[in-house]
């Protein structure tokens, strides 16, 4: 009798599995996954991956409860810059991670650790150092105009601001006669300031980041007294203006690796991400909601992206913050082919989910004919405060000719405020 009972249970389980397999479908590009269709598609596949496996737990919750909708797109190969890859190959094996100091010795240019193994006990730290040293943007990010959109889940677009961003790399320079400018102590010089509306024009920072654990030097322009003032070294954890984004959240992670006390590799997996953003994110010739076609402004909660998502393999890294940081941790999803993050989940000091960050990447030509990867749009949504800040990019340039390190300075911040 026991044998017959076990045989019956096994037969039923096999029948159920076969039925599920027969019902599962390989989805086509253009398929929309939303709250109404999520359950139906969880067992289906796209490019051979189960939809349930491609959606993180947080994405599933946002689809079910927060109106997030995913439109599937055929995955495309991503081309990395020739100088970027040449530097990585030429310097492979030179960078060494020092577990005692938590620093990297010997890095010259390119990706310091191009072949990270999942079994390496220092894998998470090496991935973060890859991100810190080897952004695939070449030597200068020059964004003369980008927008911050402030969104409320009830009323939609509250207000907008226009900003400028310029980051000059002093070390690890690609396609240049010298990989280092200056004495080697400075990694980057960055300008970030508002240009519109007039009441915040000039609000922003000039920041010098050192190639060491030393806290960066930052200056802000104070309009009321028409003077600049030096800020404390903790500004990397502060919000940018009135946005939902911390300085640490620029491109999802914007800190020196040693400022975080610990990193943990949670694994490697496939997710749906916006890796090849198509169309415009900011149509400056349009008006109303049509000006920002990358955002579903017409439907509550008004901050969900309108984009096409494709399968990408990612590393999942958990970063533990220092005690004074507003977050307790970030869980971040980095492409395994190059060190850029697509998504992150931030948690408050009580360990409760707080913010979801989602960046849309795009490959563009650099001014010298190479290629680089930028963020065409970035979403930072505060689900506790029911508020979001969306970054949209207009007119990006990489490796703009004629710009030198001397052009990225405090005087430019003062000039912008006048």
């Amino acid at each position: 009798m026991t044998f017959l009972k076990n045989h019956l249970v096994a037969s039923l389980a096999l029948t159920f599995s076969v039925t599920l397999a027969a019902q599962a479908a390989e989805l086509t590009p253009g398929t929309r996954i939303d709250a109404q269709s999520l359950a139906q598609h969880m067992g289906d596949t796209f490019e051979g991956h189960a939809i349930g496996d491609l959606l993180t737990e947080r994405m599933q919750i946002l689809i079910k409860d927060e109106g997030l909708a995913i439109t599937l797109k055929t995955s495309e190969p991503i081309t990395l810059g020739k100088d970027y890859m040449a530097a990585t190959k030429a310097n492979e094996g030179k960078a060494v991670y020092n577990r005692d100091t938590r620093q990297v010795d010997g890095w010259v240019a390119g990706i310091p650790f191009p072949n990270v193994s999942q079994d390496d006990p220092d894998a998470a730290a090496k991935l973060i150092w890859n991100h810190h040293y080897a952004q695939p943007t070449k030597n200068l990010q020059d964004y003369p105009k980008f927008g911050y959109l402030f969104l409320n889940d009830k009323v939609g677009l509250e207000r907008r601001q226009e900003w400028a961003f310029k980051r000059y790399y002093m070390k690890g320079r690609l396609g240049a006669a010298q990989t280092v400018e200056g004495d080697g102590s400075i990694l980057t010089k960055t300008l970030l300031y508002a240009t519109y509306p007039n009441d915040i024009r000039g609000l922003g920072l000039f920041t010098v980041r050192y190639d060491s654990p030393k806290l960066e030097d930052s200056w802000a322009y104070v309009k009321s007294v028409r003077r600049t003032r030096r800020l404390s070294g903790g500004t990397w954890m502060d919000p940018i203006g009135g946005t939902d984004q911390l300085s640490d959240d620029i491109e999802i992670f914007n800190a020196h690796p040693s400022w975080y006390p610990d990193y943990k590799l949670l694994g490697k997996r496939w997710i749906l991400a916006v890796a090849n953003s198509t169309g415009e994110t900011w149509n400056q010739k349009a008006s109303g909601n049509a000006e920002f076609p990358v955002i579903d402004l017409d439907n509550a909660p008004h901050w969900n992206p309108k984009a096409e998502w494709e399968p990408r393999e990612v590393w999942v890294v958990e970063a533990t913050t220092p005690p004074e940081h507003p977050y307790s941790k970030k869980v971040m999803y980095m492409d395994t082919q190059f060190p850029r993050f697509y998504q992150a989940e931030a948690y408050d000091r009580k360990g409760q989910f707080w913010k979801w960050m989602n960046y849309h990447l795009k490959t563009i030509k650099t001014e010298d004919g190479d290629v680089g990867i930028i963020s065409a749009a970035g979403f930072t949504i505060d689900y506790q405060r029911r508020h979001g800040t969306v970054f949209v990019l207009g007119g990006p340039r990489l490796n703009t000719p004629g710009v030198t390190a001397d052009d990225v300075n405090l005087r430019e911040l003062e000039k912008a405020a006048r």
Side-chain angles (χ1 to χ4, degrees):
M1 183 66 70
T2 302
F3 170 78
L4 291 175
K5 182 179 179 181
N6 290 341
H7 181 71
L8 178 61
V9 170
S11 298
L12 289 173
L14 178 60
T15 302
F16 181 68
S17 299
V18 171
T19 301
L20 283 179
Q23 291 175 344
E26 172 68 13
L27 301 180
T28 58
T31 300
R32 177 183 166 95
I33 302 172
D34 55 22
Q36 288 70 43
S37 64
L38 177 63
Q40 170 192 344
H41 290 313
M42 284 290 282
D44 294 336
T45 61
F46 184 63
E47 297 189 353
H49 303 281
I51 295 299
D53 295 336
L54 288 172
L55 296 171
T56 68
E57 180 181 358
R58 183 55 50 188
M59 291 176 74
Q60 293 180 36
I61 293 172
L62 297 180
I63 291 172
K64 287 188 291 186
D65 301 336
E66 296 288 348
L68 178 64
I70 302 289
T71 300
L72 299 179
K73 172 186 177 296
T74 302
S75 60
E76 299 178 28
I78 293 178
T79 301
L80 297 172
K82 292 180 181 179
D83 288 339
Y84 184 75
M85 296 308 295
T88 298
K89 183 177 180 180
N91 296 296
E92 186 172 357
K94 294 180 181 178
V96 177
Y97 177 69
N98 187 323
R99 192 179 298 175
D100 294 330
T101 64
R102 301 182 66 229
Q103 305 299 304
V104 170
D105 303 319
W107 172 72
V108 179
I111 303 174
F113 307 105
N115 300 302
V116 176
S117 168
Q118 196 167 353
D119 298 327
D120 187 339
D122 299 318
K126 289 179 178 178
L127 291 170
I128 294 296
W129 277 100
N130 284 350
H131 181 272
H132 182 68
Y133 273 147
Q135 287 297 294
T137 52
K138 210 127 191 197
N139 304 327
L140 171 67
Q141 290 171 263
D142 186 5
Y143 304 157
K145 187 174 183 179
F146 74 86
Y148 273 136
L149 311 180
F150 295 77
L151 302 165
N152 180 291
D153 69 339
K154 298 293 192 299
V155 302
L157 183 60
E158 295 175 331
R159 66 189 188 279
R160 57 182 281 185
Q161 297 175 355
E162 294 178 8
W163 289 63
F165 177 86
K166 191 175 289 184
R167 173 167 286 169
Y168 191 93
Y169 290 82
M170 300 288 288
K171 299 189 73 173
R173 296 181 62 77
L174 304 173
Q178 301 293 328
T179 59
V180 179
E181 288 190 13
D183 63 6
S185 63
I186 298 174
L187 181 63
T188 60
K189 298 169 71 177
T190 302
L191 276 168
L192 173 66
Y193 57 86
T195 59
Y196 173 87
N198 284 334
D199 63 333
I200 66 164
R201 184 178 177 88
L203 172 69
L205 296 171
F206 167 62
T207 304
V208 174
R209 175 161 291 175
Y210 297 96
D211 190 22
S212 71
K214 176 183 176 180
L215 289 175
E216 58 197 11
D217 287 328
S218 295
W219 291 265
Y221 183 77
V222 183
K223 294 190 70 170
S224 58
V225 294
R226 293 187 295 176
R227 295 286 188 278
T228 55
R229 66 183 179 93
R230 192 167 180 170
L231 305 178
S232 71
T235 55
W236 68 276
M237 297 179 286
D238 293 342
I240 299 172
T243 72
D244 298 284
Q245 187 182 56
L246 308 182
S247 290
D248 180 32
D249 295 332
I250 294 175
E251 307 287 7
I252 289 183
F253 189 86
N254 184 44
H256 188 279
S258 66
W259 297 345
Y260 274 66
D262 191 34
Y263 303 99
K264 182 190 301 182
L265 181 62
L266 301 184
K268 185 189 287 189
R269 61 170 294 173
W270 287 79
I271 66 168
L272 289 171
V274 184
N276 291 281
S277 179
T278 58
E280 291 182 296
T281 58
W282 184 2
N283 182 355
Q284 299 179 47
K285 296 180 180 179
S287 59
N289 290 353
E291 186 176 358
F292 306 106
V294 73
I295 312 169
D296 187 9
L297 290 169
D298 295 322
N299 298 293
H302 308 290
W303 54 54
N304 282 315
K306 292 167 65 176
E308 295 180 312
W309 306 65
E310 64 186 86
R312 293 297 301 180
E313 188 180 37
V314 296
W315 296 104
V316 186
V317 179
E318 179 181 292
T320 302
T321 63
E324 62 273 21
H325 198 287
Y327 306 150
S328 61
K329 66 178 181 180
K330 277 184 181 179
V331 178
M332 306 177 290
Y333 300 82
M334 176 193 288
D335 197 292
T336 58
Q337 185 184 347
F338 57 96
R340 283 294 292 268
F341 292 111
Y342 292 111
Q343 297 175 27
E345 299 138 18
Y347 294 80
D348 65 18
R349 298 310 303 183
K350 296 179 181 179
Q352 301 299 310
F353 172 67
W354 186 0
K355 297 177 185 178
W356 188 59
M357 302 171 205
N358 166 39
Y359 272 64
H360 298 183
L361 303 190
K362 185 173 186 176
T363 302
I364 67 170
K365 286 188 176 181
T366 63
E367 298 291 320
D368 60 349
D370 208 345
V371 296
I373 296 175
I374 62 167
S375 295
F379 295 70
T380 302
I381 312 301
D382 183 334
Y383 284 95
Q384 293 186 6
R385 198 162 66 97
R386 307 300 300 173
H387 196 271
T389 302
V390 177
F391 149 92
V392 289
L393 189 58
R397 294 179 293 186
L398 296 178
N399 235 45
T400 311
V403 178
T404 69
D406 291 337
D407 297 319
V408 184
N409 56 49
L410 189 57
R411 293 188 303 278
E412 290 299 307
L413 186 62
E414 296 169 346
K415 189 187 302 181
R418 292 172 188 157

